Amino acid sequence: MWRKSFILIFVSVLISTVVLLISCQKVDYPTDNEQLSHEEQIVIRFSHVVGENTPKGMAAIKFAELVKKRSNGHIEVQVFPNGVLYKDGEEMNALLRGDIQMIAPAISKVTALVPEWSVMDLPYAFKNADEVHTYIESNTGKILVKKLNEHNLLSMGIWDSGFKQLSNSIRPIKEITDLKGLRMRIMPSDILAEQFSSVGAFPRRIDFNTVFNQLQKGNVDGQENTFTNITSKNLHSLQDYLTVSNHGYLGYLLLMNNEFWNSLPKDVQTLLTDTLAEVQAWEWQLAKDLSAERLQEMEACDCIELNYLTEQDIQKWESAFDPVYKFYTERYDEKYIKALPKNQPHH
């Protein structure tokens, strides 16, 4: 009798265990984050160098929140803004080493690895952000994206900052010749260096997080950046003149370590891809709205002299920058320039 009941208990425990194991095969995420062991939770450390009140900063937070909610806390995106984890020049190596899993560097930051990407930094290459997005989606854009794969980088999309403006503390920049002799801060990029050198200015490659300091000390006279980046770091408080030149696009590539990506389960990849596509569309609109807002704030603050370029001025500036296009063509491949929206027959 005793043996019989023992066998019955043993069999029922065995059946319960099997049922439990089978039910665990489902990919439903646990509803309570506390139940997860550290090994089970997927952590994505996302490092970037701009403020939280910029389009990039706000989109990173939104992405993290949506992923946490949609995965019931199974996937945690930890966002480190303002270069707190890695500075401008360090984050790419940290990503390639696998110390972080995601970054969103300005496009010019990838030109050290894939110089062809500097087509995006050419002055007056694009009239608006829509042209940029079309170019990235084109066959030529896809070739550029593929080149990143060769360096263990996966491009997950592009976020806009907007178009760059010029500020300085020496004189108003109305004519292109007004740039002559000015020491201008740039992001690390040969094309951006050429852009300023070709018109007689002195480019200085400086990390974004130290620009305020460098301007304050007088080590540089001016800088180029978007309205949201200028205001988020309060750079305009150190400058007397700003020219609304819209002379170059500034955007960020969302990059993941390829190996890390391939290690993720398919359902996790799908969740991340879908969420990023949604956040990207939201970020594009936000960048547009915030750029317009920040310009209005600067117009109203009466703290900096604003100058605007006319269509005629822009044509003159564009011609003055022809040598930069020649510089690119001689070093890389003309096909990337030929594919620009402004060089299309219907344009």
Side-chain angles (χ1 to χ4, degrees), residues 126-135 160 163 284 288 341:
F126 305 97
K127 274 194 166 65
N128 52 51
D130 289 342
E131 285 193 353
V132 174
H133 307 152
T134 305
Y135 184 76
D160 296 337
F163 280 77
W284 288 353
K288 216 175 182 174

Side-chain angles (χ1 to χ4, degrees), residues 28-47:
D28 281 352
Y29 299 121
T31 48
D32 182 10
N33 197 11
E34 303 305 313
Q35 298 170 7
L36 290 165
S37 71
H38 188 64
E39 287 74 34
E40 282 179 291
Q41 194 183 30
I42 294 169
V43 176
I44 297 168
R45 288 185 297 275
F46 183 177
S47 169

Side-chain angles (χ1 to χ4, degrees), residues 204-343:
R204 299 279 184 267
R205 301 172 196 231
I206 295 169
D207 274 5
F208 182 57
N209 299 99
T210 60
V211 177
F212 187 90
N213 258 347
Q214 298 293 325
L215 287 170
Q216 208 171 26
K217 287 179 184 160
N219 291 343
V220 281
D221 304 312
Q223 56 85 49
E224 57 162 14
N225 222 315
T226 58
F227 290 125
T228 52
N229 280 347
I230 290 169
T231 51
S232 82
K233 291 282 191 243
N234 205 18
L235 302 180
H236 57 303
S237 68
L238 300 173
Q239 304 272 264
D240 300 312
Y241 311 99
L242 186 136
T243 299
V244 181
S245 51
N246 293 312
H247 62 279
Y249 168 79
L250 174 55
Y252 308 105
L253 285 173
L254 279 124
L255 299 177
M256 267 201 181
N257 180 310
N258 217 2
E259 262 167 65
F260 171 75
W261 176 256
N262 291 332
S263 76
L264 296 173
K266 280 278 173 280
D267 58 321
V268 170
Q269 290 183 346
T270 304
L271 186 143
L272 292 173
T273 306
D274 293 351
T275 306
L276 274 174
E278 194 182 311
V279 173
Q280 178 172 271
W282 177 85
E283 194 277 344
W284 288 353
Q285 189 56 50
L286 178 72
K288 216 175 182 174
D289 297 344
L290 281 184
S291 293
E293 264 177 49
R294 298 295 175 262
L295 171 58
Q296 280 178 334
E297 283 166 21
M298 274 200 260
E299 286 172 333
C301 78
D302 211 19
C303 55
I304 189 163
E305 183 187 303
L306 293 173
N307 293 287
Y308 298 83
L309 296 184
T310 63
E311 274 301 313
Q312 254 176 328
D313 292 334
I314 287 169
Q315 280 174 1
K316 275 189 211 163
W317 281 52
E318 216 175 319
S319 304
F321 284 127
D322 278 346
V324 191
Y325 283 76
K326 192 169 179 281
F327 177 91
Y328 182 98
T329 305
E330 282 168 2
R331 278 154 189 79
Y332 317 122
D333 195 325
E334 200 183 5
K335 72 175 177 196
Y336 298 106
I337 289 176
K338 280 184 172 164
L340 287 171
K342 68 175 187 177
N343 294 328

